[in-house]
Amino acid sequence: MTTAIAETYRRFAREEARGRSPLYEALSESIADDPDMLAHLADLPPAKQQPNLLLAAVRHVTGVPGGWADFRRNALAHWGEIRTVIMERSTQTNEAGRCAALLPVLALLPQPLALLEVGTSAGLCLLPDRYAYDYGVHVLRPVDMTADTPVFPCRADEATPVPKSLPRVVWRAGLDIRPLDVKDADQMAWLETLVWPEQSDRLARLRAAVQVARADPPSIVQGDLTRDLPLLVKEAPRDATLVVFHTAVLAYVSDQAQRDAFAAQALSLCDYWISNEEPRVFPSIAAKIDRELRPPLFMLAVNGQPVAAAHPHGATLDWIAEPPPANGRRKSTM
Ligand SMILES: C[S@@+](CC[C@H](N)C(=O)[O-])C[C@H]1O[C@@H](n2cnc3c(N)ncnc32)[C@H](O)[C@@H]1O
């Protein structure tokens, strides 16, 4: 058991943290070599052994460590409290910057849009029309832009159809197994702890996005995406293009058959199903791309067709192909 956990931490250090968080990379490599830490992790349910959750829980209880010695001392001394945080919370990182990856697709669809996000966390990705975006070639701003509106930078390649205007959203709703409330200070403190230590720009943008959401929070329903999608779809207006989307969510559904069943249901219920996930989440869609998307890149897909390779936080976008037409559920066309 501890060998597999050590391997998970080494993979996290080398494939996810390297180049993005020197502290998390060093800590994860050291945890993988530490029998005491591995024994504590082995005592947790498998879903709770993940690096992001442990690293955030230790920071939540004892603050940002100076290095490995500090981390190890704090983690072992406060393990009871840290274990409670691990068991009570989960990695619900809400990265509004992912809207920069979704936007070119959303802008191509017949307007106006009804947005339904599953695995919405605090709902920050449900507000793509309320943020600003810097695509290099031009900057897109909402009409009510203020000095506090977050600006999400995205390096899009030349093939990407960078939108000239923001999408028009007339309805939005989220579904989450454990919804977070942007007005709850403790829940937002946990979201902040989930941002990696050196990523101060990202933290500032998270705080700004939470402020935007607090002004007019999206409606979020508690529920399981494998079961409760049809109920929420019924509430969507019929005269808008219904988009069901998710980003960084379906990996939490461990059974591939359940993921595929969700995909089939989403396709049957909406006009456009947008999936922004690690390629391994939907191998049959990833197989349609003629090149490998290296971790940590996400695959952006529309109605089961790959459309772009996206940085996991929306910082880059490499276009693959135009989205396919609508499902025909509502007679909308591209
Ligand atoms: C990593 S967060 C991503 C949040 C948001 N989509 C984003 O990209 O910023 C994953 C979210 O999926 C939710 N989730 C996981 N499994 C779920 C399920 N079966 N049904 C509904 N939500 C789920 C979690 O509670 C969490 O809020």
Side-chain angles (χ1 to χ4, degrees):
M1 164 79 103
T2 54
T3 313
I5 299 172
E7 194 39 48
T8 300
Y9 275 72
R10 262 190 214 102
R11 200 177 331 111
F12 175 81
R14 293 167 196 182
E15 292 183 4
E16 297 191 45
R18 186 167 292 169
R20 295 161 74 202
S21 173
L23 181 62
Y24 272 15
E25 181 186 354
L27 295 178
S28 305
E29 289 280 8
S30 298
I31 292 165
D33 290 332
D34 189 283
D36 293 330
M37 288 301 305
L38 292 175
H40 278 320
L41 286 165
D43 193 35
L44 294 167
K48 295 286 180 181
Q49 293 166 351
Q50 47 171 305
N52 256 330
L53 185 56
L54 170 74
L55 294 164
V58 174
R59 280 172 59 206
H60 196 65
V61 173
T62 65
V64 179
W68 167 240
D70 200 16
F71 177 92
R72 185 177 190 282
R73 191 174 46 249
N74 288 341
L76 296 178
H78 298 273
W79 184 251
E81 229 179 313
I82 290 164
R83 192 181 200 287
T84 303
V85 171
I86 289 175
M87 294 306 292
E88 284 177 353
R89 303 193 187 235
S90 55
T91 51
Q92 294 193 261
T93 310
N94 202 180
E95 180 50 69
R98 291 180 181 132
C99 289
L102 300 174
L103 206 72
V105 170
L106 295 177
L108 283 175
L109 307 184
Q111 309 289 312
L113 305 180
L115 297 181
L116 196 168
E117 184 189 19
V118 299
T120 194
S121 183
L124 301 182
C125 294
L126 273 168
L127 311 170
D129 50 332
R130 298 206 194 138
Y131 306 130
Y133 305 86
D134 183 353
Y135 286 102
V137 279
H138 62 261
V139 178
L140 271 164
R141 301 178 181 84
V143 276
D144 53 356
M145 172 105 185
T146 71
D148 298 325
T149 304
V151 182
F152 297 115
C154 177
R155 195 166 32 78
D157 71 355
E158 280 185 3
T160 303
V162 173
K164 298 268 182 320
S165 58
L166 291 166
R168 193 155 72 81
V169 181
V170 290
W171 181 89
R172 62 192 101 216
L175 178 76
D176 201 285
I177 206 147
R178 180 198 282 258
L180 295 181
D181 178 357
V182 286
K183 295 194 171 169
D184 182 315
D186 177 59
Q187 291 183 4
M188 292 307 100
W190 173 244
L191 270 193
E192 289 188 11
T193 314
L194 289 168
V195 175
W196 295 0
E198 299 89 344
Q199 301 179 336
S200 46
D201 286 357
R202 216 181 134 205
L203 180 60
R205 289 194 293 263
L206 168 66
R207 288 179 175 153
V210 169
Q211 288 310 323
V212 169
R214 274 185 180 151
D216 183 10
S219 151
I220 303 179
V221 173
Q222 194 282 329
D224 189 329
L225 66 89
T226 61
R227 197 187 53 214
D228 300 320
L229 183 61
L231 277 178
L232 203 48
V233 162
K234 278 200 187 120
E235 292 180 21
R238 300 288 306 174
D239 54 356
T241 300
L242 178 58
V243 181
V244 170
F245 74 101
H246 48 86
T247 77
V249 174
L250 265 289
Y252 289 80
V253 177
S254 51
D255 180 12
Q256 186 65 48
Q258 271 196 311
R259 285 182 203 153
D260 292 341
F262 163 79
Q265 184 175 58
L267 263 174
S268 73
L269 291 173
C270 69
D271 299 307
Y272 293 92
W273 162 52
I274 303 180
S275 165
N276 187 38
E277 301 284 348
E278 293 171 60
R280 69 177 174 88
V281 167
F282 286 116
S284 59
I285 304 178
K288 297 176 185 173
I289 311 173
D290 57 8
R291 64 188 158 101
E292 191 196 354
L293 299 191
R294 291 261 176 99
L297 282 179
F298 277 18
M299 177 181 64
L300 182 67
V302 178
N303 291 348
Q305 296 300 320
V307 162
H311 178 277
H313 301 144
T316 65
L317 198 57
D318 289 307
W319 203 249
I320 294 171
E322 293 299 296
N327 283 323
R329 190 191 74 93
R330 293 176 185 229
K331 294 199 189 87
S332 31
T333 51
M334 290 290 294

